Amino acid sequence: MSGGLLVAGTTSDAGKSVVTAGICRWLVRRGVKVAPFKAQNMSLNSFVTREGAEIGRAQAMQAQAARVEPTALMNPVLLKPGSDRSSQVVLMGRPVGEMSARGYHGGRQESLLSTVVDCLEQLRGTYDAVICEGAGSPAEINLRRTDIVNMGIARAARFPVVVVGDIDRGGVFASFFGTTALLSAEDQSLIAGYLVNKFRGDVSLLEPGLDMLRELTGRPTYGVLPFAHGLGIDEEDGLRVSLRGTVRESVVAPPHGEDILRVAVCAVPLMSNFTDVDALAAEPGVVVRFVDRAEELADADLVIVPGTRGTVKALAWLRERGLADALLRRGAEGRPVLGICGGYQILGERIEDDVESRAGQVEGLGLLPVRVRFDREKTLARPVGEALGAPVEGYEIHHGVADVRGGEPFLTDGQGQRIDGCRTGAVWGTHWHGSLESDAFRRRFLTEIAKAAGRRFVPAPDTCFAGLREEQLDRLGDLIEEHADTDALWRLIESGAPAGLPFIAPGAPGARA
């Protein structure tokens, strides 16, 4: 049986995903066969494995860090929010229905513990080490009884736990102490120590606090990771800040040609797989920003309507904010627009939805000759094709079935036969996520956009998105190797939590020692 570790966090966005990926990359560089695991993920950013299973993009990224192929075993439960109160439940890569938060935490979640433990055991039987990622905080005492992703899985597997805290937010010492002190004695026995994330400044000024934390809790801090700019690693739950004016992290490089290209992404509700634009942001001279006002489209050379978990809701939002009218004006003026997945459906003539919103027939923007009917079966695929004379790979995650009634083919089989999407003038649409990661296609597409926009922009001839992603993952491995106590982390992975860790009062309500 292999060893393992659970990376928990004091809060959401403390850095669990990137720390897990960094540990995976550090271990695989040491020759360790390692796999990531997250029992339950809540995210609108998902990915399709080669066997056609839908999992969180963060786990796909972590698998890449571990240099292994992602599988459904690595993320057996995925929750895709459809509103503040309900989510689609994806089990072992396949949707099994919608469920309210109360219904899920009221019984369904606890019943899934045996499934997630079985998946973890299968991974442990194949790999030398499994690095698990928690969700939110392990000290969510209202949900502890049904927990399957934090201390529930740690106790089932007897894995040691390292708690990550984001010091950039402030209050990290109180967060470490409070997280530990709100756990039961049995849970606390697995909390091996802490990892400070996103530190700026002189570490020596932090060390007295780390010493006092150890005196208070009897647990060490396994490292202080510095704040790292420009990692651009796939995010899990959404953008952490207001979308207004948010600029996607991009390569700090001048444009290859005389001009830059400005890309505006409509920040629609329930936006999914906004990571589609990362490949554009990686291009020197391409500036990508998220917008939510019509006037912010005025100077954009390309407007993207991205994927969404709520196509009809997003369409209504575009109309309410005047963005729909701005898109229609762009289409009439021959200015570039790209719709991806739900965004593609929005650009069509009509949407018939008795599945997602149950709104029935809704008129689309009519920029593309496409009619969409929502099917109860979700399309999950990893297609390949050609566009603009270049090879393209992508992945599909959608309920909508497109009936294309005109326009030029967009993605073809290489013989000119349409596989997906269409183009009318400067308006493009496709169901394929990830297509812009295909370097040759992306360069040719941007050349078309620059021509339509009247820009003297020239794509750099040597930008390799896959190579840049590898460099980013290596940077995460470097952060762990250079700033964490890797010898101590390896002892935890190999041998488990140290015996005799002290109990910190008061403990979990109703479960005090």
Side-chain angles (χ1 to χ4, degrees), residues 39-42 77-79 87 89 99-112 116 146 148:
Q40 172 201 294
N41 197 344
M42 178 174 280
V77 182
L78 173 64
L79 306 178
S87 295
V89 180
M99 187 166 290
S100 69
R102 179 176 292 276
Y104 183 70
H105 291 288
R108 180 63 187 270
Q109 183 182 34
E110 192 174 14
S111 71
L112 293 173
V116 301
T146 57
I148 63 171

Side-chain angles (χ1 to χ4, degrees), residues 146-169:
T146 57
D147 170 49
I148 63 171
V149 66
N150 290 305
M151 301 313 299
I153 196 69
R155 276 170 63 165
R158 302 307 301 169
F159 274 1
V161 179
V162 172
V163 181
V164 178
D166 179 358
I167 197 169
D168 198 51
R169 292 181 171 189

Side-chain angles (χ1 to χ4, degrees), residues 303-511:
V303 174
I304 294 179
V305 186
T308 171
R309 173 80 166 85
T311 301
V312 171
K313 182 177 182 179
L315 175 57
W317 180 88
L318 290 168
R319 285 180 166 137
E320 289 166 3
R321 290 179 170 261
L323 287 158
D325 288 339
L327 289 168
L328 290 170
R329 286 194 297 272
R330 287 187 70 91
E333 294 165 0
R335 302 179 66 196
V337 176
L338 171 65
I340 301 175
C341 199
Y344 170 41
Q345 298 164 5
I346 285 169
L347 297 182
E349 298 172 349
R350 191 174 71 198
I351 300 166
E352 192 175 323
D353 180 12
D354 295 319
V355 176
E356 191 175 76
S357 67
R358 297 181 176 85
Q361 188 168 301
V362 177
E363 294 302 308
L365 296 186
L367 289 170
L368 290 173
V370 177
R371 296 183 180 182
V372 175
R373 176 185 55 81
F374 274 61
D375 192 6
R376 295 195 178 280
E377 291 296 316
K378 181 184 283 191
T379 297
L380 297 169
R382 289 277 293 273
V384 296
E386 183 178 289
L388 302 178
V392 183
E393 296 184 18
Y395 57 100
E396 294 184 73
I397 307 170
H398 55 91
H399 285 279
V401 178
D403 176 15
V404 182
R405 301 187 170 204
E408 301 175 42
F410 186 5
L411 295 150
T412 71
D413 60 2
Q415 305 299 317
Q417 297 300 308
R418 187 193 314 271
I419 299 177
D420 181 79
C422 71
R423 172 188 183 182
T424 300
V427 181
W428 315 65
T430 176
H431 271 131
W432 291 17
H433 295 290
S435 61
L436 293 167
E437 296 179 18
S438 298
D439 296 327
F441 163 67
R442 183 180 64 253
R443 285 192 278 270
R444 294 184 188 189
F445 178 70
L446 289 176
T447 299
E448 290 264 339
I449 296 303
K451 181 180 177 181
R455 294 284 185 185
R456 294 189 298 275
F457 170 85
V458 179
D462 55 356
T463 302
C464 174
F465 184 74
L468 290 171
R469 176 53 56 91
E470 276 297 302
E471 290 176 12
Q472 292 165 332
L473 294 171
D474 274 332
R475 287 180 63 195
L476 292 182
D478 292 343
L479 284 174
I480 298 298
E481 195 163 337
E482 296 169 11
H483 300 282
D485 185 344
T486 53
D487 289 341
L489 287 177
W490 178 248
R491 286 194 296 272
L492 288 178
I493 292 167
E494 196 172 39
S495 305
L501 291 169
F503 171 75
I504 309 300

Side-chain angles (χ1 to χ4, degrees), residues 32-85:
V32 177
K33 189 179 179 184
V34 59
F37 178 78
K38 185 161 185 172
Q40 172 201 294
N41 197 344
M42 178 174 280
S43 179
L44 288 171
N45 285 337
S46 59
F47 183 76
V48 179
T49 67
R50 294 216 176 271
E51 73 267 31
E54 185 179 8
I55 66 172
R57 272 197 70 94
Q59 280 59 67
M61 175 269 292
Q62 291 159 359
Q64 186 177 351
R67 297 186 178 134
V68 297
E69 190 67 32
T71 73
L73 292 174
M74 297 172 184
N75 179 208
V77 182
L78 173 64
L79 306 178
K80 302 193 73 175
S83 70
D84 291 341
R85 294 178 177 271

